[in-house]
Amino acid sequence: MLLGVKAIVETHYNILSVKEDASYEEIRTSYRSAILNSHPDKLQKTSEKSDPDQESRERFLKVQRAWEVLSNLRSRAVYDSELRDLRQDAVAADDVSLEDMMVGDSGDALELFYQCRCGDYFSVDSLELGKMGYVLLREGNKISLQTPDASPASVVLPCGSCSLKVRLLINSDIFISIDDSLA
């Protein structure tokens, strides 16, 4: 599943908790850890239940599928291409840039907001962006968003209430000032 109703993006990279530019060894190490932590036999031994629940089994299968795709150079290249195409072709009401976003600081993470025409917000926080391989940096009262390979990218954000989406265009050369009252 690449796009969910309320999820921003769940990719094979997210499932294995690696960046999109991760090496084979990084992917293999993360896979081994993830498969051990989600294996039904291990969960059955650590759980009082006699059968791991459906969510645990689905997690195990997602980890296995992610490894099957990302461990093979050819299938990974095809997957990366499809992922790039999906990000470019996602239907969005508007394209917005970092400068269009409002910034909030919850203490644990920075959150980016953009108001929807329905009155609710499109939002993403630095933790979610980190899972996708993007880094939201704060330097004093300025923030920037960096991509793994320093090339322009985009992230599709769903509205919190309606079915509209916006595409946040990411350019690592952009810095925006934030109001200290939001910090």
Side-chain angles (χ1 to χ4, degrees), residues 146-160:
Q146 301 202 339
T147 60
D149 58 3
S151 63
S154 64
V155 176
V156 176
L157 306 175
C159 175

Side-chain angles (χ1 to χ4, degrees), residues 9 21 26 38 40 61 65 70 79-80 90 143 154 167 171:
V9 175
D21 63 346
E26 291 169 320
S38 63
L61 292 174
R65 178 69 183 140
L70 298 181
Y79 179 76
D80 287 347
I143 64 164
S154 64
R167 183 179 12 244
N171 183 343

Side-chain angles (χ1 to χ4, degrees), residues 3-182:
L3 286 177
V5 175
K6 290 294 180 183
I8 294 172
V9 175
E10 182 180 32
T11 67
H12 292 318
Y13 296 102
N14 299 127
I15 291 167
L16 294 180
S17 300
V18 294
K19 293 182 179 181
E20 291 184 15
D21 63 346
S23 69
Y24 175 83
E25 283 303 314
E26 291 169 320
I27 292 170
R28 185 172 69 94
T29 301
S30 185
Y31 162 73
R32 291 175 129 182
S33 175
I35 206 73
L36 284 174
N37 291 330
S38 63
H39 196 282
D41 291 342
K42 182 174 181 178
L43 293 173
Q44 189 171 356
K45 290 177 184 175
T46 61
S47 175
E48 293 179 9
K49 299 180 199 176
S50 61
D51 184 36
D53 63 1
Q54 183 66 24
E55 189 175 309
S56 298
R57 277 186 252 136
E58 287 176 13
R59 170 78 180 139
F60 176 78
L61 292 174
K62 284 181 180 182
V63 168
Q64 189 62 35
R65 178 69 183 140
W67 169 249
E68 289 170 4
V69 171
L70 298 181
S71 65
N72 179 289
L73 284 174
R74 182 170 286 152
S75 66
R76 181 178 179 184
V78 169
Y79 179 76
D80 287 347
S81 176
E82 290 172 354
L83 193 57
R84 276 191 303 277
D85 290 344
L86 176 71
R87 288 178 177 150
Q88 294 300 319
D89 294 337
V91 177
D94 290 312
D95 286 344
V96 297
S97 66
L98 192 57
E99 297 97 344
D100 299 324
M101 305 293 282
M102 295 178 284
V103 181
D105 188 349
S106 66
D108 295 334
L110 290 173
E111 189 158 8
L112 301 174
F113 299 94
Y114 183 76
Q115 188 162 17
C116 180
R117 26 184 144 150
C118 76
D120 204 347
Y121 291 90
F122 303 98
S123 69
V124 63
D125 66 34
S126 56
L127 300 176
E128 291 172 304
L129 289 167
K131 288 178 184 176
M132 291 182 271
Y134 303 112
V135 179
L136 189 60
L137 299 171
R138 181 176 187 165
E139 297 174 17
N141 69 340
K142 294 186 181 206
I143 64 164
S144 66
L145 192 54
Q146 301 202 339
T147 60
D149 58 3
S151 63
S154 64
V155 176
V156 176
L157 306 175
C159 175
S161 295
C162 71
S163 61
L164 290 177
K165 297 176 181 154
V166 295
R167 183 179 12 244
L168 173 59
L169 303 173
I170 301 170
N171 183 343
S172 60
D173 298 334
I174 303 292
F175 283 87
I176 64 167
S177 294
I178 57 175
D179 185 357
D180 289 335
S181 64
L182 295 174

